[in-house]
Amino acid sequence: MYDVVLLTLGSERDAPGTCGSDGACCGDTNMANGDTDKSNDGPSTDRCETPRVPVLACADALTARGARVDLVTARSEREIDEVLCRLDGPPRPDGLGWPDPDSRTRLIVGTASDAQLRTVLRRLVRRYAPPPSRRPTDLPVNRTVPDLPPVGVLPLDPARGRSQPRDLAAQLGLPRDPVAVAAAVLEGAPRRLDLLRNDAGSVTLDGALLGAADEGGQPLHWRGRVEVDDTLLSAGDDPLLACAIGNAGGYARLADVTLLAAPDPGDGLVEVAVAVPVLTSSRWGRRRVRLEVRRARGRAVAVVPREGAIPFLDDGATGELKRKRSWWTEPGAWAVWSPPTAHR
């Protein structure tokens, strides 16, 4: 018998009984990596007292399969951590906190947005990442965190699986029906995925999009140095319209332009693209602007703003990049529970 914690994050809006299918919840757009002084690195203290219908349906399905279910609504990082401690393994000789690979406790996160899922994963990383001075010998050489416990994903807005941009659950082909989610968590297998960490202490599951638009929706030019491993996509002299950093494909397109060609959340690499407007002339002397997309794949990417702050979206969370930021891949660091049919 499994113990299953079904975790949801408290709402920013005072809406007893429901967060609303498109409501911002803790860990959503205000969870912006601490990139600006106005950002909030913890869930809101506002409350959503009654579990939403998908949560109750999933809990019923888990109970019907013999699991013991605990419904938890976390409204702070401390309350998230109180849930995650149930995934701890036995004490180690080196004194490090480590996840239990044989745990009988399984975690499902009810997500109204990818930023909420990212909030929980960030807390997992902070819980289990050892300090560099105490790096254990059993940690993979290409990682800074151990294998994080698999997470069940329960989308709280089924419509996002059919809309653009699609959420991460839809991109990964994960079930959206609460009964199917319960079956995946109890009878499925973990699917390991890459994690992007960055030097601001946060994580990225899907991707980030750097750039902004004016009131009419037209992209604004900005300048920055963008480097992927040893490949220089921009030295900071070119006017850029956008920079996409992709672990998965949520930011693969910008309007009708393909930025990322083939982002793969399981290949151990990050795909990066910059969109550069280039002025060209025809044989008749007519000038026009075409968009040049430069791409590269690698283990790490660094972006250095040249002119002020660069607005960005990271897993749906907003922020501003004011100084150099580096992202790097942690291959196979996190995992989701996927349906049993996906492994036959």
Side-chain angles (χ1 to χ4, degrees), residues 2-81:
Y2 290 107
D3 293 308
V4 180
V5 183
L6 215 168
L7 172 67
T8 54
L9 304 186
S11 172
E12 289 179 352
R13 299 191 302 178
D14 185 14
T18 178
C19 292
S21 63
D22 59 351
C25 293
C26 74
D28 203 339
T29 55
N30 66 330
M31 305 293 287
N33 304 333
D35 292 292
T36 69
D37 292 337
K38 295 181 181 180
S39 67
N40 176 9
D41 201 39
S44 166
T45 57
D46 292 340
R47 300 193 173 191
C48 177
E49 297 294 350
T50 304
R52 292 174 58 173
V53 171
V55 174
L56 297 175
C58 187
D60 289 343
L62 291 164
T63 301
R65 284 172 165 80
R68 291 185 293 256
V69 183
D70 186 11
L71 301 183
V72 178
T73 299
R75 303 180 184 91
S76 68
E77 291 182 340
R78 177 184 59 79
E79 291 179 345
I80 295 175
D81 293 344

Side-chain angles (χ1 to χ4, degrees), residues 213-219:
D214 61 21
E215 294 181 356
Q218 296 299 311

Side-chain angles (χ1 to χ4, degrees), residues 178-196:
V179 175
V181 172
V185 170
L186 296 181
E187 302 162 11
R191 175 184 173 186
R192 301 222 67 88
L193 301 164
D194 303 334
L195 183 71
L196 287 181

Side-chain angles (χ1 to χ4, degrees), residues 20-21 31 36 47 54 61 74 104 113 123 127 144 152-153 159 164 174 212 270 275 287 299 308-309 313:
S21 63
M31 305 293 287
T36 69
R47 300 193 173 191
R104 301 296 293 178
S113 68
R123 299 312 301 173
R127 183 169 193 84
T144 63
V153 180
Q164 293 291 341
L174 298 178
V270 58
R287 293 187 173 186
R299 289 290 312 280
L313 286 172

Side-chain angles (χ1 to χ4, degrees), residues 209-213 220 222 243 308-313 317-322:
L209 181 65
L210 287 76
L220 298 174
W222 55 277
C243 173
I310 306 172
F312 69 85
L313 286 172
T318 59
E320 287 188 335
L321 194 64
K322 298 181 177 179

